[in-house]
Each structure stands twice: as structure tokens, then as C-alpha cells.
Amino acid sequence: MSRPTPETRLVLGIESSCDETAAAVVIGTRVVGATVATQHELHEEYGGVVPEIASRAHLERMLPVVRAAIAAAGIRLHDVDAVAVGHRPGLIGALLVGTSAAKALALGLGVPFIGVDHVHAHLVSGLLHDREAPAPSNPELPAIGLVLSGGHTSIYRVEELTRPVLLGRTIDDAIGEAFDKVAAMLGLGHPGGPGVERLASKGNPDALDLPIANLGRGRVDFSYSGLKTAVRYAIQGVPGREGDHRAVDPADVAASFQKAAIGAVRRNLRRAIAAHPDTASLLVGGGVVANRSVREMLESECAEAGIECRLPSLDWSQDNGAMIAALGGLRLAQGESDELELAPAATTRDDRTIPTPPAS
């Protein structure tokens, strides 16, 4: 029997970094089977993800999810040629569950084990396609990579898909976390992003003058804590100031917040493209990319800059096993894999190797 080539390898990807238990089987960037088990109902009463609850849920759901992905792919488990797992960053207990499962499967099957950075995997989510859909062309490089999610807001220079170079990241809250916190202030429940988006569609985005943090001339780092605080003051009033607070329409709050949050992304994207004029495309991933206003802004900015915009479909915007498998397959095609001693890590290893311009 001939050995599988990079074009025919079946890679099983496992994702468990937060509150999604996900598995998928991928050939290249073609998704042949995928399953995701969410935990929203377990965390809703707490207004956010509880790490211990998430870890226990992953333990219960991991094997059923893997079996479902294998069944959806129409293959047997022993047909898998490699096992990839998101081993960083994330909740350490949750990562331990996924990493341990992936190691056990790789060892039992006698196939390569591949650790994948969850954040970097989001950058290939725009390349994923279902088995019935034609494969998209490879993105033109170099690219700017942008990850907008509940736990991460990062921007990269991508000359090689397996080795993105960090340009900037949030210094405090991620954009998705800010959406969730504002949703909680407005009583919209968890997860908050969809609720804020729906409410914002009914409001005036210019009703409130909310801040967009500027961390210095030329910098493309993000900060959302000040915006979150400004929203709280708009809703509740400034502590110590009596008599000067007026009631605000929640829809106006949501719309004004969303405009400011997206405005920060627009400004830093423009700065990154201007600093790297050879940029040919934009690679985007993360749950916040499911927001329609975010998608429209990114498409508009790319059109204006004359670069290609690779947005993931809504199915692949959230955490999923397919992006893990796809990036794992790219590493495997380069002859890379990992030892079973590879440990999960709560943080990423992004090093800023491109100098940041000095603050003004």
C-alpha cells in the first residue's frame, strides 16, 4: 500500500482550549468530518467560563466528539494518519484534557503527534472548506494576520503560515471579552457577542463618544479596558459625581461600544498595512469575526488597500478542530511533529521579533 502524501493525509484535530470540545478530520484544508460540543448552558448562570466546570465537561465529551467526527468523515479511527491538538494557549485544565486525549490516540495508532498553537490556527480558518466545496487558492503572501476572539486580540505578519510573527496584541482585555463584559452590564447574558450585535442594530452608534485607546505612534497593540470602563460609566454614572448622569438607551450603548471596539481594529489594521506595503492579503480568524459589522469593516478596508480578504465562514469562525487539524497538517508536510512529552501551556509563545515603533 502506498504511503499517504500531504495531499491525502487524514489529520485528526482536537480543540479544548476553553469551552468548546471539538474534533475534525481534515485533508489539507478540506474538512471531511467535524463535531463541536458547546458548554454555553453550563456557564451561563456564572456570566463567563468557569475553568473547573469546563475541564470536567471536556472529560465527559471528548471521546464522543472524536467518535462523531470520525463517523462524519466516513472513516475508521485507524485510517487517521496524524493527530494534532491545540496545546496552547488556554485554560490549563481544559488543555490537559485535549492534549492527553491526542497523545493517547497518536500513541495507540502509531501516528505522528503534532502540537498546534490555538491562536495561530485561527489564521488558517479562512482556508477551510467543506468536502463538497472547491478548494480555495492558496493565500498570497506575505499577509497580515488578525485574530479577534474572546481571549485574544492579536495582529501578525505572515510570511509562512506555520510561523506568524507577532506585531501587536491586547495589553489587557481581548475584544471578545469586552463584548461579553458589556453584554453583562446590559443584562444580555452569556456569551455576549451575539446579544450586543443584535441590540446594536437598533441603536445610534454616534450617541456616545467612547474612547479608542492609542498606545503610541505606529504601535498596533490593543487595549479595551478603558472602553469597557467608559461604557460602565455611561450606564451607571461616574462615581462621586451626583446629578450629571442621564439615562441612556441600551441600544445606543451597544451601538456606540461596537463602533469604538471595531474602530480600534480598523486603526491598527491600517497601521500594519501601511508599515508593510508588500502585504498581499489579510488572514482573519476568531469568534468575533462572526460579527457582521466586523466582517463588513474588514472587507471594506481590504478593498481600499487593494489586498485579498480571507474571512472564515461562520462555521469556522468559532473555536473548532478543523483549524487545528489544518495547521497540524501544514506542520506535518514540512516534516515536523512533536514528542509525546510536549506539555500544554496556558500562554502562547509569541515573541515580538519585529521592532515596535517608539511611542510618541
Side-chain angles (χ1 to χ4, degrees), residues 167-216:
L167 298 177
R169 62 156 68 99
T170 181
I171 64 170
D172 41 57
D173 295 340
I175 184 172
E177 181 183 359
F179 268 88
D180 285 343
K181 296 293 177 58
V182 169
M185 296 178 205
L186 295 171
L188 299 178
H190 176 83
V196 171
E197 182 181 8
R198 285 191 296 270
L199 187 59
S201 67
K202 305 173 185 177
N204 175 10
D206 298 315
L208 301 176
D209 185 17
L210 296 176
I212 298 176
N214 189 349
L215 301 177

Side-chain angles (χ1 to χ4, degrees), residues 246-273:
R246 61 182 178 86
V248 291
D249 184 336
D252 288 346
V253 173
S256 299
F257 160 76
Q258 182 172 265
K259 177 185 177 182
I262 295 173
V265 178
R266 176 189 286 110
R267 184 196 59 206
N268 282 356
L269 176 58
R270 288 178 176 177
R271 286 180 174 179
I273 293 173

Side-chain angles (χ1 to χ4, degrees), residues 123 139-146 155-160 165 167 220 268-284 298 301-310 354:
L123 296 175
E140 193 173 350
L141 301 177
I144 295 296
L146 186 62
I155 192 164
Y156 295 90
R157 162 83 167 181
V158 184
E159 297 182 6
E160 188 176 354
V165 176
L167 298 177
V220 292
N268 282 356
L269 176 58
R270 288 178 176 177
R271 286 180 174 179
I273 293 173
H276 303 280
D278 60 343
T279 297
S281 60
L282 174 68
L283 306 177
V284 189
L298 294 174
E301 290 299 314
C302 286
E304 184 174 333
I307 64 176
E308 180 186 15
C309 186
R310 285 294 184 98
I354 294 180

Side-chain angles (χ1 to χ4, degrees), residues 111-192:
V111 299
F113 166 76
I114 308 162
V116 167
D117 187 297
H118 165 94
V119 183
H120 298 172
H122 273 301
L123 296 175
V124 302
S125 58
L127 313 183
L128 299 173
H129 60 101
D130 297 329
R131 67 169 85 200
E132 296 83 7
S137 60
N138 291 328
E140 193 173 350
L141 301 177
I144 295 296
L146 186 62
V147 178
L148 307 173
S149 71
H152 307 280
T153 307
S154 303
I155 192 164
Y156 295 90
R157 162 83 167 181
V158 184
E159 297 182 6
E160 188 176 354
L161 289 172
T162 56
R163 290 173 175 81
V165 176
L166 181 71
L167 298 177
R169 62 156 68 99
T170 181
I171 64 170
D172 41 57
D173 295 340
I175 184 172
E177 181 183 359
F179 268 88
D180 285 343
K181 296 293 177 58
V182 169
M185 296 178 205
L186 295 171
L188 299 178
H190 176 83

